[in-house]
Amino acid sequence: MKLFKETRWSGCAISTLSNLGFLIHGRKVWFGLGLLFLTFSASAQQAWQSKYVKIKDGKLQYIPDEQGDIIPDFSRVGYHQNEIAIPKVAVVATLSPTGDNDQQRIQDAIDELAKKPADARGIRGAILLQKGEYKIPGSLRISVGGIVLRGEGEETKLVATGKGQRKTIIASGTGKAVEIPNSRVKIADKYVPLGAKSFQVANASSLKVGDAIMVYRPGTQKWISDLKMDQIEAQANTIQWKPSDYNFNFERKITAIKGNTIFIDNPIVMAMEEQYGGGEIYKYTFAGRIAEVGIENLLLASEFANDTDEDHGWDAISFNKIENSWVSGVSSHYFGYSCVNLGGDSKQITVKDSKCFTPKSKIEGGRRYSFNNDGQLNLFMNCYASEGRHDYVTGAKVCGPNVFYHCVSEQAKADIGPHHRWAMGTLYDNVVSDGEINSQDRGNWGTGHGWAGVNQVFWNCKASKAAIQDPYVSGKNYVIGLTAKPYEGRLKGRPASAWDGQSGAGLQPASLYIKQVEENKKR
């Protein structure tokens, strides 16, 4: 196996206002996304505003369509919904590398810290890995909340040694969301539009402010038939969509109740439609989910035999069954799948200032998903990826809102966007790729991906080309200020999404996400 060979990213260097870009491996990438550049671009170009969202008296004004749908508010994704900052957790244990297998020493420190009581915030402390190289032949596991694993930047290197596909750092709780018996209440409105934060229920008497609820939308045969997802052109492994596989559960909290109208903390990201079974809410618990876990300032690398080797480290960091946690300042080199992979039970996670370099694998399906998100209410910001296939991506049936903000993809081997099977409510804000950005009917790719995403918002992004289409029913996709060459996509005859402005130059606000966050903090 080849040993890890260090590759450095020179960082985001903006030299002059007339020569803006990021230097990566000594080469300039035309990022054009820093807030300084955005401000400069807006002043140098004629300012314009979207037909979907305007600024009036300094505040965002959302323009509803004929059904009342609006672009959702994405401001409350990430760690504690942006209500508190990621903490600087005090170090309670310090390790240095031995030059040999350090996996058990680190695991012992994690397990010892897990035995200590958490403070009022749910935090136990940080384990500091001092600079040097730590050999990890298997996986490090964090299964109790309140633990931070911190390095000293790129000089702290965790190397996945030897053979075997595995995850180097796994942070995960146990169990699943459990419905509280007899708590289901029918949504009374015939149509709850995209972006709504309130709706009527049949009877709110059993509910109270602060309740954790699922907003449930059932899968129905009529809906699948109207989407034509029971008519996917078949090949050997194609699976037609089935109603029981498309019951969606969106995690929310009740913030207010007025009569039988309830108000929720995060918006509806797929309309509740009476014609497709309407919707319900129910209370739930998730006892095994952990929180307050942080992975900070580490460089992770995998040994590998050659450029197409697949018998080595696969994910650098994996989160699941976890909430209100973070990954910050990490970089990965040579893993086959991802730098950070968030599972379907990951909620309110912030991944920031992180980089995925030079994956080693075949360049084909199921590989090189640099920053993958299958959970909800998650935020990826200020990230970089090179030579990935799907660098900023969601998987199947992902229940938003979620955000990818201010991210770059270089030497992309495939596309950015929802990958398959109906991801809902993702904002791609100031994302730049030298590859494609797509949200389309993928037909029989995979085992029948079909419609990849709905209510996806592409705001002030850049790519080489883009195929963005509106599903036949139940929503559309929003393309605002995308700089890319439009193309038809894989399958002919699908409805193309309307592009609002062919270029982002002068778009106001330059970042929808940042403006939404600013307004949310003022409330």
Side-chain angles (χ1 to χ4, degrees):
M1 303 287 283
K2 291 185 180 178
L3 292 175
F4 163 67
K5 180 180 178 182
E6 185 174 3
T7 306
R8 289 188 177 275
W9 186 40
S10 61
C12 304
I14 299 180
S15 52
T16 67
L17 286 180
S18 62
N19 188 27
L20 292 170
F22 287 152
L23 296 175
I24 300 174
H25 301 304
R27 298 165 51 212
K28 180 159 289 181
V29 178
W30 293 105
F31 196 114
L33 296 180
L35 292 179
L36 175 62
F37 188 24
L38 289 171
T39 303
F40 171 72
S41 295
S43 63
Q45 302 287 335
Q46 183 174 359
W48 63 280
Q49 296 184 24
S50 169
K51 64 182 179 182
Y52 302 111
V53 184
K54 298 188 180 297
I55 299 176
K56 184 176 182 180
D57 298 327
K59 295 183 178 180
L60 293 172
Q61 181 181 49
Y62 299 89
I63 312 301
D65 65 13
E66 62 278 3
Q67 294 180 293
D69 295 330
I70 60 172
I71 287 180
D73 176 9
F74 293 92
S75 66
R76 295 174 65 85
V77 301
Y79 180 75
H80 281 284
Q81 299 192 9
N82 271 319
E83 292 178 346
I84 62 174
I86 293 173
K88 181 67 172 178
V89 177
V91 173
V92 297
T94 301
L95 298 178
S96 57
T98 64
D100 200 356
N101 179 355
D102 285 304
Q103 178 178 318
Q104 193 59 52
R105 293 176 63 248
I106 299 173
Q107 188 65 57
D108 288 345
I110 293 170
D111 295 344
E112 189 62 29
L113 182 54
K115 297 175 184 176
K116 296 183 178 181
D119 66 15
R121 301 169 298 169
I123 292 172
R124 289 177 166 83
I127 299 168
L128 176 64
L129 303 181
Q130 294 182 317
K131 59 185 178 182
E133 184 174 296
Y134 298 78
K135 295 179 179 180
I136 312 295
S139 300
L140 299 170
R141 299 178 182 273
I142 299 174
S143 56
V144 173
I147 295 173
V148 175
L149 195 61
R150 179 183 300 147
E152 294 185 322
E154 292 197 347
E155 293 187 88
T156 299
K157 307 167 189 175
L158 272 60
V159 181
T161 58
K163 294 180 178 292
Q165 289 188 8
R166 75 276 189 192
K167 310 170 191 295
T168 298
I169 298 175
I170 301 170
S172 180
T174 59
K176 62 181 180 179
V178 176
E179 180 176 351
I180 295 176
N182 304 314
S183 67
R184 285 209 175 216
V185 180
K186 183 73 176 176
I187 293 175
D189 293 325
K190 292 183 177 180
Y191 188 89
V192 182
L194 173 69
K197 289 186 179 179
S198 65
F199 48 82
Q200 288 193 327
V201 296
N203 188 340
S205 61
S206 63
L207 304 171
K208 65 180 184 301
V209 172
D211 279 346
I213 61 168
M214 292 287 187
V215 179
Y216 170 82
R217 176 178 162 139
T220 66
Q221 187 58 53
K222 176 174 170 53
W223 176 69
I224 289 173
S225 296
D226 287 351
L227 280 175
K228 302 181 181 180
M229 290 293 94
D230 54 358
Q231 306 167 42
I232 302 170
E233 182 179 347
Q235 55 186 10
N237 60 346
T238 300
I239 300 171
Q240 305 293 337
W241 290 18
K242 299 176 181 178
S244 59
D245 293 333
Y246 290 85
N247 297 321
F248 301 123
N249 294 277
F250 304 87
E251 298 193 58
R252 300 291 186 266
K253 281 190 177 181
I254 296 177
T255 58
I257 301 175
K258 295 182 180 179
N260 286 328
T261 299
I262 68 166
F263 296 78
I264 52 178
D265 58 342
N266 273 284
I268 296 296
V269 292
M270 182 181 174
M272 301 286 152
E273 303 171 89
E274 185 182 49
Q275 66 169 324
Y276 296 129
E280 298 173 316
I281 65 170
Y282 63 86
K283 293 187 276 188
Y284 75 100
T285 59
F286 200 144
R289 189 182 250 163
I290 63 174
E292 305 299 337
V293 173
I295 311 296
E296 302 176 348
N297 305 330
L298 293 170
L299 188 155
L300 297 100
S302 174
E303 292 183 339
F304 61 96
N306 54 60
D307 287 347
T308 58
D309 179 27
E310 301 197 328
D311 192 17
H312 64 96
W314 212 238
D315 293 281
I317 298 169
S318 172
F319 276 19
N320 203 14
K321 303 179 188 299
I322 186 171
E323 64 181 343
N324 292 323
S325 297
W326 66 94
V327 177
S328 176
V330 305
S331 60
S332 70
H333 300 249
Y334 316 131
F335 288 86
Y337 192 83
S338 75
C339 176
V340 180
N341 189 354
L342 301 184
D345 288 324
S346 299
K347 171 189 158 190
Q348 293 170 201
I349 309 299
T350 293
V351 179
K352 68 186 187 78
D353 305 326
S354 296
K355 304 175 281 290
C356 183
F357 293 108
T358 322
K360 298 298 180 184
S361 71
K362 298 175 184 177
I363 303 176
E364 56 186 58
R367 298 152 175 87
R368 304 191 183 206
Y369 291 55
S370 305
F371 293 94
N372 181 73
N373 175 45
D374 291 335
Q376 52 186 297
L377 295 163
N378 295 325
L379 168 66
F380 292 74
M381 63 183 297
N382 302 333
C383 293
Y384 170 80
S386 68
E387 300 182 44
R389 293 183 61 252
H390 304 295
D391 288 321
Y392 307 105
V393 62
T394 54
K397 298 169 278 190
V398 176
C399 296
N402 291 292
V403 173
F404 293 96
Y405 164 68
H406 200 261
C407 296
V408 168
S409 168
E410 186 187 34
Q411 300 180 57
K413 309 302 182 186
D415 60 358
I416 285 168
H419 185 51
H420 65 112
R421 290 182 177 84
W422 206 256
M424 296 155 279
T426 309
L427 171 63
Y428 297 83
D429 186 326
N430 284 279
V431 173
V432 168
S433 176
D434 56 14
E436 300 177 19
I437 291 178
N438 295 324
S439 182
Q440 61 177 320
D441 182 357
R442 294 171 57 85
N444 61 14
W445 276 348
T447 55
H449 287 177
W451 286 108
V454 68
N455 303 325
Q456 309 291 291
V457 180
F458 301 93
W459 187 280
N460 213 3
C461 295
K462 295 183 180 181
S464 62
K465 61 180 184 177
I468 302 176
Q469 303 165 346
D470 290 341
Y472 297 121
V473 296
S474 296
K476 59 187 177 184
N477 293 308
Y478 296 83
V479 189
I480 299 106
L482 173 61
T483 302
K485 179 181 178 180
Y487 79 105
E488 190 172 28
R490 186 194 178 205
L491 301 174
K492 297 182 183 299
R494 274 41 176 186
S497 301
W499 287 36
D500 186 12
Q502 196 72 15
S503 169
L507 173 60
Q508 293 294 300
S511 166
L512 177 64
Y513 172 69
I514 292 299
K515 181 63 174 174
Q516 288 180 331
V517 170
E518 289 175 353
E519 292 195 359
N520 183 48
K521 290 185 180 299
K522 292 177 182 178
R523 292 185 189 128

